[in-house]
Amino acid sequence: MSQFSNVVRSLPPVTKNLIIINSLIWIVMMVFPARTGDRLMEVCALHYFEAPDFNPAQLFTYMFMHSTGSLTHILFNMFSLFMFGIVLERLLGSKRFLFYYLSCGVGAAMIQEGVWALTLENMIVDKLAVMNHTSADLMRTYLSTMPGQMAANLNFFTTVGASGAIYGILLAFGMLFPNRPLYLMFIPVPVKAKWMIVGFVVFELLIGISTANDGVAHFAHLGGMLVGFLMLLYWKKTGVVNGPYY
């Protein structure tokens, strides 16, 4: 127990508090799913901007919530934050690291909103057409006369999780420490950080442009990485950071 306490005390403040906040919210949603969890999803999860339940604060609040359907979502994000956030916070400083983290998260949300703007209406039409055993054209015509029906369905599409911000952190680590070897449990040999980042980008892009509907906001992940990439380019140009460090 004392060793665990020492580890917690040694964490830089932003990384430590982000892990605590995300974990506490997940526990509350898990323990009180009907009373609190559903309400938090309604108010704080990211909705499409034309959905009745959308509010601008969701661009920020969604990144502190995680799916309670399994442990995988929050464990991956918090473990990645622990492993890479410590290094980056000590390098960038707590204030700049927090700004970077939140910017990647908000940027990921805005990219997701853009993807929804291009795809969500067709997804709803196709889904309702299948459910009602009719054609997509007939369903689109019907929904055009019933705007409330379309709006009600928009509320069912939500995104939660810190993944956009976490993917921004992964990108920053790969850019600033490109040659540092990483040991991934499903690959028996060390992989340089820069190649890990390339692999993540290719994977997310391929899955994102496919027709697979796995419930994961892949373009939000890419959005977090894009925002992080642009910020790091600016910081390198202005001398805020200089790399590679390893």
Side-chain angles (χ1 to χ4, degrees):
M1 189 66 179
S2 60
Q3 290 181 341
F4 176 76
S5 299
N6 290 335
V7 170
V8 173
R9 281 196 293 267
S10 68
L11 292 175
V14 172
T15 299
K16 176 172 65 178
N17 285 298
L18 285 174
I19 292 175
I20 291 173
I21 292 169
N22 279 276
S23 300
L24 286 177
I25 292 175
W26 186 86
I27 291 171
V28 169
M29 292 177 65
M30 192 74 178
V31 175
F32 306 105
R35 185 189 309 176
T36 305
D38 290 347
R39 181 58 177 164
L40 282 174
M41 286 294 292
E42 179 184 337
V43 176
C44 299
L46 181 65
H47 292 69
Y48 182 47
F49 70 91
E50 290 187 343
D53 285 348
F54 172 79
N55 69 77
Q58 292 169 0
L59 296 169
F60 173 81
T61 58
Y62 87 102
M63 73 179 86
F64 295 97
M65 304 172 61
H66 290 81
S67 169
T68 56
S70 72
L71 276 169
T72 306
H73 191 202
I74 190 168
L75 279 181
F76 172 81
N77 283 344
M78 295 304 101
F79 179 74
S80 299
L81 179 56
F82 175 81
M83 291 296 295
F84 303 107
I86 294 173
V87 178
L88 292 175
E89 183 174 351
R90 287 173 177 163
L91 174 67
L92 298 174
S94 295
K95 291 183 179 180
R96 185 170 283 113
F97 174 73
L98 179 61
F99 178 75
Y100 178 85
Y101 180 93
L102 296 178
S103 297
C104 289
V106 172
M110 296 179 70
I111 293 294
Q112 183 61 35
E113 291 287 345
V115 171
W116 273 337
L118 296 174
T119 63
L120 202 52
E121 181 176 332
N122 288 336
M123 289 171 61
I124 292 173
V125 168
D126 291 341
K127 180 179 179 180
L128 292 178
V130 171
M131 291 174 59
N132 291 276
H133 307 287
T134 187
S135 69
D137 289 338
L138 287 176
M139 181 54 63
R140 184 173 282 103
T141 300
Y142 167 74
L143 290 174
S144 67
T145 64
M146 301 284 291
Q149 185 68 27
M150 175 65 81
N153 279 278
L154 289 173
N155 273 335
F156 291 109
F157 292 86
T158 60
T159 289
V160 295
S163 298
I166 295 299
Y167 272 72
I169 286 178
L170 294 175
L171 177 108
F173 189 88
M175 288 183 67
L176 297 174
F177 302 90
N179 295 314
R180 178 164 295 187
L182 300 175
Y183 294 85
L184 307 176
M185 60 180 141
F186 49 87
I187 299 179
V189 295
V191 178
K192 289 184 178 181
K194 60 185 177 184
W195 299 124
M196 179 195 71
I197 297 305
V198 171
F200 274 127
V201 170
V202 171
F203 174 79
E204 294 293 335
L205 186 58
L206 290 177
I207 299 298
I209 62 177
S210 73
T211 56
N213 185 18
D214 58 3
V216 178
H218 295 285
F219 282 104
H221 300 170
L222 291 170
M225 297 179 88
L226 175 62
V227 172
F229 177 74
L230 294 175
M231 289 182 67
L232 286 169
L233 281 185
Y234 176 76
W235 283 346
K236 282 193 171 189
K237 183 177 180 180
T238 56
V240 172
V241 295
N242 294 293
Y245 293 90
Y246 184 87

